[in-house]
Amino acid sequence: MDIVTKMQVNVSSNQVFEAFVNPEYIGGFWFTSSSERWEEGKTITLRYEAYNAEIDILIEKIVKNESIHFKWGNNHVTIELDGDDNHTIVTTTEKDIEENEVERLLGQKEGWVYMLSCLKSYLEYGNKISGALL
């Protein structure tokens, strides 16, 4: 089964893209830290300090300002960005969840909604990523 979650963020697709791939920004809305900039073929360590947890993800493919594909555990995740200079629809798709993992399925869906809500808030109202930093 796949989990698909969408949300409109009222900033450019470049700002959304940088929020994910640049370790300076990811701590503002998702994980506490990222070991380095996300690039194809790299294994990135994401830390979540509140839970004393970390996870490694393998960056499989990146299309700047359009999509990020990575694998965590046995699951593949795609983050798609469809937008212009003012609005971006962010779609996350997590694939390969077993149908008998209902609790995990619900937990992951809740997590994606929460992350996208935090991303929206961070980029629209919090520490905006200025064009000078991009």
Side-chain angles (χ1 to χ4, degrees):
M1 294 187 72
D2 298 345
I3 302 169
V4 179
T5 309
K6 290 184 181 192
M7 187 169 291
Q8 179 173 308
V9 181
N10 295 317
V11 299
S12 71
S13 57
N14 183 253
Q15 287 176 291
V16 175
F17 179 80
E18 283 297 315
F20 283 102
V21 303
N22 189 326
E24 292 182 41
Y25 304 123
I26 201 164
F29 69 95
W30 195 8
F31 287 88
T32 306
S33 66
S34 175
S35 60
E36 61 185 298
R37 185 172 180 85
W38 296 19
E39 295 175 2
E40 281 185 35
K42 286 189 176 182
T43 298
I44 306 295
T45 301
L46 300 173
R47 291 225 9 96
Y48 209 149
E49 305 253 334
Y51 297 102
N52 194 29
E54 67 180 39
I55 187 169
D56 288 334
I57 64 171
L58 173 62
I59 307 299
E60 297 177 309
K61 181 179 177 185
I62 289 183
V63 179
K64 186 175 181 177
N65 301 335
E66 293 181 19
S67 65
I68 302 166
H69 305 257
F70 64 89
K71 183 175 181 181
W72 61 7
N74 294 323
N75 298 5
H76 294 269
V77 175
T78 301
I79 301 170
E80 295 177 297
L81 311 175
D82 182 19
D84 54 31
D85 290 341
N86 299 310
H87 308 90
T88 304
I89 302 295
V90 183
T91 304
T92 62
T93 305
E94 184 169 0
K95 297 178 179 265
D96 307 324
I97 295 180
E98 298 293 326
E99 288 184 37
N100 62 352
E101 294 183 294
V102 175
E103 283 185 40
R104 183 166 183 277
L105 182 74
L106 294 173
Q108 290 298 97
K109 179 66 173 186
E110 180 180 288
W112 289 116
V113 170
Y114 181 74
M115 182 277 290
L116 289 176
S117 299
C118 291
L119 173 70
K120 181 177 179 67
S121 177
Y122 178 68
L123 292 178
E124 290 182 16
Y125 304 105
N127 297 325
K128 292 188 178 188
I129 299 171
S130 72
L133 295 174
L134 302 177

